[in-house]
Amino acid sequence: MNKLCLLGLVVGLAFQPALAADVKSTTAQTKAAFISDLMKRMTVEEKIGQLRLISIGPEMTHEQIQDEMAAGRIGGTFNSVIRAENRPMQDAAVKRSRLKIPVFFAFDVIHGHRTAFPISLGLAASWDMAAIATSARVAAAEAASDSLDMTFGPMVDVSRDPRWGRTSEGFGEDPYLVSRIATVMVENLQGKDLAAKDKIMATMKHFAVYGAVEGGRDYNVVDMSMTRMYQDYLPPYRAAVDAGAGGVMIALNSINGVPATSNTWLMQDLLRKDWGFKGVTVSDHGAVLELIRHGVAKDGREAAKLAIKAGIDMSMNDKVYGKELPGLLKSGEVSQRDLDNAVREILGAKYDLGLFADPYRRIGQAADDPADTYAEERLSRAPAREVARKTLVLLKNQNQTLPLKKQGTIALVGPLADAPIDMLGSWSAAARSGQAVTLRAGLNNALGDKAQVLYAKGANVTDNPQILHFLANLGGDREEVEIDPRTPQQMIDEAVAAAGKADVIVAALGEARGMSHESASRTNLNIPEPQRALFDALKATGKPIVLVLMNGRPLTIAKELAGSDAVLETWFSGTEGGNAIADVLFGDYNPSGKLPVTFPRSVGQIPSYYNHLSVGRPVVPGEPTDYRSQYFDEENSPLFPFGFGLSYTDFSLSDLSLSSTTLKKGAKLQASIRVKNTGQRAGETVVQLYIRDVAASLARPVKELKNFRKLMLAPGEEQTVTFDIGENELKFFNAQLKAVAEPGEFKVQVGLDSQAVKEQSFELL
Ligand code: NOJ
């Protein structure tokens, strides 16, 4: 027996520390040899077992799951987040199974874990890569200390349609910004050494183009030109792969008629061959069987065959791989090679996670288990508050209504002002609402006895029975929305009375967190009716109104915007959200967030995104407006453009200067602009670089984000920001799907949002 076989065998039998060190120091080659040796000793049934990813839920008892593991029939699980629960499962796998192959434990760690950070859309609004890195590092460490090895994240689906509830779960509409964030998320979840005890594997999702479901209706089809797909939707997935994501979750939608789950082009040609992905692919929940409903498989057997042949390594919540693969292998419809390819990746993921060397590396010893999983000292409050402050976007601040003074009387109203569960946002199942700081608590913490806060709920988040029914079903055993039994008028009267005694009204309005979630698609993006009625009544008091928005997607807020003196977009801001919002409302932190999505004026403007292609009949200021690309009942411009966000200070931009008016292929030129803080306070802003390809072989977007820099300036301070521009910034996918930079004129635009920009042009020679 050679040394490697021996190593594999012994590692399989007992996990001694000396061997653990050995395994850790092995190279990629020894990893391959270790896995191939192990695979030689596996039966077909054991191999099929590795392909099954099982949800811990009511379907099987813990004992049944452990028995399945002992029989080598499960590769990994998800939805169990407690060390003491996962330990016996790992015991079953490594102490009772024949080959002692460890299982892994996965979970949706999307924006924090025990500590909820702001939802992903909020994180994106920070445009602050260091802050996003912090959120990922904390999430990984908290998840790993709960025995998790893997997350089903980051979700990097670009979305231009806010009707889609999962807009909240992604990083916005822009391929460049989402790609930058995808990289940071993967690098910081996984770290340099994925086997480290405080790191977890990233499974980027949902591959691919899930954010473009037709009509914003979840799980709907995607039918899209290949150039658009390559240019606008695929880059973030690619960035996550390039950053080394260990896993990829395959999307639930079909793409141009072929479900992603059975899409050979997607998983083999694009992901593995073109992009060189070397990790594990997992289906989404139950997606293999859904191939029947997509209408491409006549039964479970055919579904399993299509999925494994196309490249689904692991079947999530598996009912079908375990059942059908034995027969398919026997008949030769699925080859040993198809099976082995999948098994190799799953074992590879476990190897990279360090589980062969020490299957308990994240589970730890029972003696070290936290007495209380939810203990306060397990939370990371300081970074959560620090990050949350950076995600808040000031949309309006008339007559310097904000920051508020810590004096007098504040009427705090609205169904989201004191709703802890909504602070957490969706996909935060490991966080506890009881530990979330609401806005009410945040204001009280900030004020102490310096000022009075009069709180009145004012309205239920919605009275619509259909929406309430939807939210109730979402919650499972949790109460998603607390409904106040008083009549709408009684609640409004109370709020108006509070407003009457106050100097200013702070109104926390928006969506319940469940309204911006998986399967939570909306056709109407208004703030729900009872809250609008409350707003009207508050407006009628004549008191200044600060609108604090809580929502997981752009809402259509034209009326409330017009009626408010100040508007702060706070998304769902996490465990420390209330403190973070108070920091901004009272000026202890100067807001610096910028919108990662366009806010439309109305749902009719959707899809709403700034980087749309040029058209033959655009609306051009100063030109006749008839027979132009427009709606006759609404202007084209959005309510708020991508990249927009105010500060308590003011910034001015100099003219833009280019180091040259021509650029040779292979060379670079510099675009420079001076940014000055012309106000009275220190503040941060985001300088954004956009480029437009004026004439190309295909119609190109009116502008595309290509770089940005967030910088802090003291009052009166001025800094020069310089961006390098080379071929990379000018490339696009042509009709042959080749990335090319075509000679000709390019416009360079730099601004503090995507609309108000300074412009220059140069020619690519
Ligand atoms: C279904 C969702 O689409 C996916 O994003 C998630 O990771 C899985 N469920 C597991 O919870």
Side-chain angles (χ1 to χ4, degrees):
M1 192 183 280
N2 68 31
K3 198 175 160 221
L4 276 172
C5 286
L6 187 66
L7 180 73
L9 190 66
V10 181
V11 167
L13 292 171
F15 299 91
Q16 296 156 11
L19 265 165
D22 257 1
V23 173
K24 200 174 168 194
S25 67
T26 53
T27 61
Q29 264 175 338
T30 50
K31 168 183 163 185
F34 172 78
I35 289 170
S36 88
D37 173 64
L38 180 54
M39 284 174 60
K40 277 186 204 133
R41 291 180 289 117
M42 293 171 79
T43 62
V44 166
E45 288 68 31
E46 284 164 338
K47 286 181 178 173
I48 293 172
Q50 287 300 308
L51 274 47
R52 300 182 60 219
L53 179 55
I54 298 297
S55 173
I56 307 292
E59 289 175 20
M60 272 196 268
T61 65
H62 281 244
E63 287 67 37
Q64 283 168 331
I65 290 174
Q66 286 165 29
D67 288 347
E68 287 284 285
M69 285 173 173
R73 284 199 288 264
I74 290 179
T77 74
F78 63 112
N79 283 344
S80 165
V81 284
I82 295 183
R83 286 156 61 145
E85 274 179 22
N86 288 341
R87 188 175 295 108
M89 291 195 253
Q90 194 66 293
D91 287 345
V94 303
K95 295 184 181 152
R96 287 166 56 199
S97 77
R98 193 179 74 88
L99 288 173
K100 308 190 179 339
I101 299 172
V103 289
F104 67 75
F105 302 98
F107 193 59
D108 289 276
V109 180
I110 304 300
H111 52 103
H113 180 63
R114 294 292 173 201
T115 315
F117 280 74
I119 57 167
S120 303
L121 192 62
L123 290 174
S126 74
W127 294 55
D128 187 321
M129 297 304 119
I132 294 171
T134 300
S135 79
R137 273 197 305 272
V138 170
E142 288 188 356
S145 81
D146 271 348
S147 70
L148 296 171
D149 302 300
M150 182 188 286
T151 172
F152 299 138
M155 184 189 108
V156 299
D157 303 316
V158 165
S159 174
R160 295 166 164 182
D161 192 332
R163 290 172 296 182
W164 192 49
R166 302 193 85 170
T167 299
S168 59
E169 221 183 306
F171 300 107
E173 76 188 35
D174 182 68
Y176 177 80
L177 181 60
V178 181
S179 298
R180 289 273 302 262
I181 298 173
T183 305
V184 169
M185 288 296 293
V186 170
E187 287 177 353
N188 288 279
L189 287 165
Q190 297 193 159
K192 287 199 166 50
D193 175 13
L194 188 48
K197 283 193 171 118
D198 59 349
K199 296 296 171 199
I200 56 174
M201 183 176 278
T203 310
M204 71 82 159
K205 66 186 186 187
H206 303 82
F207 190 59
V209 291
Y210 182 37
V213 284
E214 216 168 83
R217 211 175 68 220
D218 210 359
Y219 319 124
N220 202 359
V221 302
V222 177
D223 205 319
M224 172 187 290
S225 77
M226 295 303 278
T227 45
R228 169 166 282 185
M229 200 187 302
Y230 270 71
Q231 191 63 33
D232 298 330
Y233 285 86
L234 294 180
Y237 307 114
R238 174 78 196 255
V241 167
D242 289 349
V248 171
M249 185 187 293
I250 306 303
L252 291 162
N253 51 283
S254 61
I255 304 167
N256 299 342
V258 184
T261 306
S262 61
N263 201 317
T264 308
W265 164 75
L266 187 72
M267 288 183 275
Q268 290 183 22
D269 299 339
L270 185 65
L271 182 65
R272 294 212 185 263
K273 290 195 195 114
D274 286 5
W275 294 1
F277 176 66
K278 296 220 161 44
V280 62
T281 56
V282 293
S283 78
D284 203 339
H285 204 126
V288 177
L289 264 185
E290 285 176 19
L291 290 175
I292 304 172
R293 295 234 178 98
H294 276 288
V296 299
K298 63 176 186 300
D299 53 22
R301 182 183 169 93
E302 195 173 6
K305 177 176 145 187
L306 285 175
I308 193 162
K309 285 195 151 307
I312 297 282
D313 298 331
M314 281 196 109
S315 165
M316 184 187 287
N317 197 29
D318 180 70
K319 293 200 181 61
V320 70
Y321 268 12
K323 182 161 169 240
E324 303 293 353
L325 286 180
L328 286 164
L329 277 146
K330 215 175 254 164
S331 71
E333 288 164 90
V334 167
S335 68
Q336 190 64 42
R337 195 155 159 229
D338 295 328
L339 177 64
D340 283 355
N341 284 344
V343 175
R344 197 173 300 113
E345 301 303 351
I346 296 157
L347 296 178
K350 293 180 181 183
Y351 189 100
D352 293 342
L353 282 163
L355 292 175
F356 284 109
D358 177 5
Y360 297 94
R361 64 176 53 234
R362 296 181 185 82
I363 297 172
Q365 303 297 318
D368 302 328
D369 283 355
D372 172 11
T373 302
Y374 307 109
E376 179 60 33
E377 61 270 19
R378 299 190 81 215
L379 299 186
S380 315
R381 288 194 181 272
R385 179 171 181 167
E386 187 69 23
V387 171
R389 312 196 303 183
K390 292 172 184 260
T391 65
L392 310 180
V393 186
L394 183 63
L395 295 175
K396 179 178 182 182
N397 195 16
Q398 193 171 282
N399 303 326
Q400 299 188 320
T401 305
L402 291 176
L404 298 175
K405 297 200 175 59
K406 290 182 184 171
Q407 64 186 43
T409 303
I410 296 171
L412 174 66
V413 297
L416 295 160
D418 200 22
I421 200 164
D422 294 304
M423 300 311 291
L424 300 178
S426 65
W427 294 108
S428 52
R432 281 293 164 271
S433 57
Q435 292 175 320
V437 180
T438 65
L439 179 53
R440 185 183 186 185
L443 292 191
N444 285 325
N445 292 343
L447 291 172
D449 52 15
K450 291 193 194 116
Q452 201 187 5
V453 177
L454 299 176
Y455 166 73
K457 186 166 178 177
N460 282 316
V461 74
T462 175
D463 289 334
N464 181 323
Q466 206 177 334
I467 303 176
L468 288 173
H469 176 74
F470 169 78
L471 293 173
N473 281 351
L474 260 190
D477 55 357
R478 301 209 266 193
E479 193 78 5
E480 277 290 320
V481 184
E482 265 180 42
I483 293 300
D484 194 310
R486 288 175 294 170
T487 66
Q489 196 54 51
Q490 283 171 325
M491 294 172 80
I492 286 180
D493 289 348
E494 185 191 35
V496 166
K501 292 183 209 137
D503 306 304
V504 62
I505 301 165
V506 173
L509 308 183
E511 300 181 295
R513 67 162 191 171
M515 292 169 71
S516 271
H517 186 48
E518 183 180 342
S519 90
S521 304
R522 298 183 65 186
T523 59
N524 175 336
L525 294 180
N526 287 341
I527 293 173
E529 262 330 301
Q531 300 186 61
R532 299 187 98 203
L534 168 65
F535 185 87
D536 290 343
L538 295 173
K539 181 72 193 153
T541 66
K543 295 286 170 85
I545 300 182
V546 176
L547 174 59
V548 174
L549 288 169
M550 297 190 188
N551 45 279
R553 50 153 72 88
L555 296 178
T556 46
I557 50 159
K559 184 182 89 162
E560 294 78 13
L561 176 68
S564 300
D565 296 272
V567 180
L568 185 69
E569 174 57 76
T570 71
W571 321 106
F572 296 116
S573 49
T575 302
E576 277 292 306
N579 284 332
I581 299 170
D583 286 341
V584 168
L585 292 181
F586 295 115
D588 296 322
Y589 179 79
N590 188 354
S592 62
K594 299 276 187 178
L595 294 178
V597 275
T598 300
F599 270 47
R601 292 175 190 276
S602 62
V603 276
Q605 284 187 325
I606 295 170
S608 40
Y609 56 102
Y610 80 95
N611 47 347
H612 55 84
L613 296 182
S614 301
V615 296
R617 293 185 179 190
V619 178
V620 179
E623 286 186 11
T625 55
D626 48 342
Y627 292 95
R628 293 293 165 139
S629 176
Q630 63 185 325
Y631 303 101
F632 66 73
D633 59 352
E634 182 81 274
E635 61 179 275
N636 280 7
S637 69
L639 194 60
F640 289 109
F642 174 81
F644 180 84
L646 302 169
S647 162
Y648 293 153
T649 190
D650 293 311
F651 298 99
S652 70
L653 288 178
S654 70
D655 282 341
L656 176 66
S657 71
L658 299 184
S659 58
S660 169
T661 51
T662 58
L663 177 66
K664 286 204 194 102
K665 288 216 164 196
K668 284 196 190 302
L669 63 75
Q670 282 72 42
S672 301
I673 201 158
R674 285 194 314 285
V675 193
K676 186 170 183 187
N677 180 345
T678 56
Q680 307 301 314
R681 302 184 45 133
E684 280 183 291
T685 191
V686 182
V687 185
Q688 304 160 33
L689 170 76
Y690 297 88
I691 293 186
R692 173 180 192 158
D693 189 345
V694 177
S697 57
L698 292 176
R700 303 283 300 117
V702 292
K703 60 183 73 187
E704 289 174 296
L705 183 71
K706 293 292 175 182
N707 206 342
F708 60 87
R709 199 152 310 144
K710 191 162 187 177
L711 69 162
M712 167 65 91
L713 294 174
E717 189 185 345
E718 191 170 22
Q719 268 186 37
T720 300
V721 174
T722 301
F723 296 107
D724 280 348
I725 299 175
E727 267 183 84
N728 256 352
E729 282 68 34
L730 312 180
K731 280 187 175 160
F732 71 102
F733 289 95
N734 67 11
Q736 290 70 44
L737 301 178
K738 291 264 162 317
V740 291
E742 294 181 349
E745 188 191 354
F746 288 85
K747 289 200 187 302
V748 181
Q749 303 181 342
V750 176
L752 304 180
D753 63 57
S754 60
Q755 236 167 40
V757 291
K758 305 281 180 158
E759 190 179 81
Q760 289 291 345
S761 35
F762 71 89
E763 193 176 342
L764 178 67
L765 301 174

